[in-house]
Amino acid sequence: MSTERYYALVASLPKLPHFEQGEYVPITREALRSRLRGLTPQHFEELRVAGKLTRWQKQPRERSTADIVEQYRHAMGVIEHPALREIVDYRMGERTVLVALRMRKRGLRPEPGSPWGVGRSVRKIESAFDEPDLGMRALFPWVDEARALIDSGDAIGLERLLLGVIWNKLTEIEGRTPFGFERVIGFVFKWDLFKRWLTYDAGVAEERFQQLTAEVTRDHERLFA
């Protein structure tokens, strides 16, 4: 566990309301980035790499799953902090579960050895693909609810569910060391979720949801779609 304490940095961060309750972002990206300069160079770089990987709404659509797998491997070679590795692994596992659920809805199956997903859950999902929860209920208790939302085409409900799940996990991570790097990790990732929800366009989300379930090639069922 990191021994660094960031008292001044944490004290400078504004209160961030729950993503469903706030009306505006209490700090700009530029101001937040400036304050993050108070981190050690190693922590700053680890956080930058983690954010670049997991901020999938910023990922180019032409990037293939194989590209993302390689980006993940690079990121995990850079990121040393246990809590940051944990949240990156969780988010990539989350996306892999969603890809598998969408593939199954379309009557497809992942090809063993092919780069269809990322992280430690890939092989287990492949072996439990015919199980309703993909064998993932213990790790991702929300998988059955996500499956129902995907089957019903409820894009907004799915977004709310997933943001809520990761928000709660970040809250747990923040509480481990209130003035440590964990607290900064939680705020930065929550800020991104908060911003995403505030700018959420239900119409665009619904259109994108329908595109995802209608695409005909597996490589286009991307982790960052």
Side-chain angles (χ1 to χ4, degrees):
M1 180 179 293
S2 171
T3 60
E4 286 86 356
R5 293 295 181 268
Y6 296 110
Y7 296 104
L9 171 56
V10 171
S12 74
L13 298 175
K15 180 177 176 58
L16 196 62
H18 189 272
F19 71 90
E20 290 188 278
Q21 299 172 355
E23 297 180 356
Y24 64 93
V25 180
I27 183 172
T28 65
R29 185 180 297 277
E30 293 73 21
L32 177 57
R33 184 175 178 84
S34 177
R35 295 182 191 185
L36 293 178
R37 290 296 179 183
L39 295 170
T40 66
Q42 175 66 22
H43 281 170
F44 185 87
E45 177 62 10
E46 289 183 32
L47 200 55
R48 184 193 70 80
V49 170
K52 183 178 180 182
L53 174 64
T54 60
R55 196 172 293 120
W56 48 79
Q57 65 270 35
K58 300 295 185 182
Q59 296 289 332
R61 284 292 298 157
E62 64 272 14
R63 180 166 293 173
S64 69
T65 298
D67 293 332
I68 296 166
V69 170
E70 184 57 35
Q71 186 181 353
Y72 167 78
R73 289 172 178 165
H74 169 75
M76 296 308 277
V78 172
I79 299 169
E80 298 179 358
H81 194 277
L84 195 51
R85 290 178 67 89
E86 178 184 346
I87 199 66
V88 168
D89 259 339
Y90 192 90
R91 299 223 74 180
M92 300 307 290
E94 173 189 83
R95 303 310 294 182
T96 297
V97 167
L98 293 178
V99 168
L101 289 174
R102 286 177 173 134
M103 289 178 69
R104 193 167 62 186
K105 178 177 172 60
R106 292 162 48 205
L108 300 173
R109 300 185 68 88
E111 297 178 358
S114 67
W116 67 271
V118 172
R120 293 174 292 177
S121 300
V122 170
R123 298 298 169 250
K124 185 172 183 179
I125 290 174
E126 288 176 350
S127 64
F129 194 71
D130 294 322
E131 297 180 20
D133 66 348
L134 301 168
M136 290 287 104
R137 190 179 294 118
L139 184 58
F140 301 114
W142 45 263
V143 64
D144 292 313
E145 186 176 354
R147 183 187 70 244
L149 291 167
I150 288 173
D151 289 345
S152 66
D154 187 351
I156 299 174
L158 182 63
E159 183 82 354
R160 181 181 289 108
L161 169 67
L162 298 175
L163 291 185
V165 165
I166 198 65
W167 189 279
N168 291 339
K169 185 166 185 63
L170 289 166
T171 297
E172 185 271 322
I173 286 175
E174 285 179 311
R176 295 176 188 172
T177 54
F179 286 94
F181 188 40
E182 290 86 348
R183 178 69 177 83
V184 181
I185 291 170
F187 185 91
V188 170
F189 276 81
K190 280 184 173 181
W191 186 95
D192 194 58
L193 298 179
F194 189 88
K195 179 77 170 178
R196 175 169 176 161
W197 183 255
L198 283 184
T199 57
Y200 196 70
D201 187 313
V204 172
E206 181 63 28
E207 180 182 356
R208 182 73 195 117
F209 187 93
Q210 296 304 324
Q211 289 174 353
L212 280 170
T213 56
E215 286 167 345
V216 295
T217 61
R218 293 180 182 180
D219 195 50
H220 285 285
E221 187 64 274
R222 297 196 175 98
L223 288 164
F224 293 119

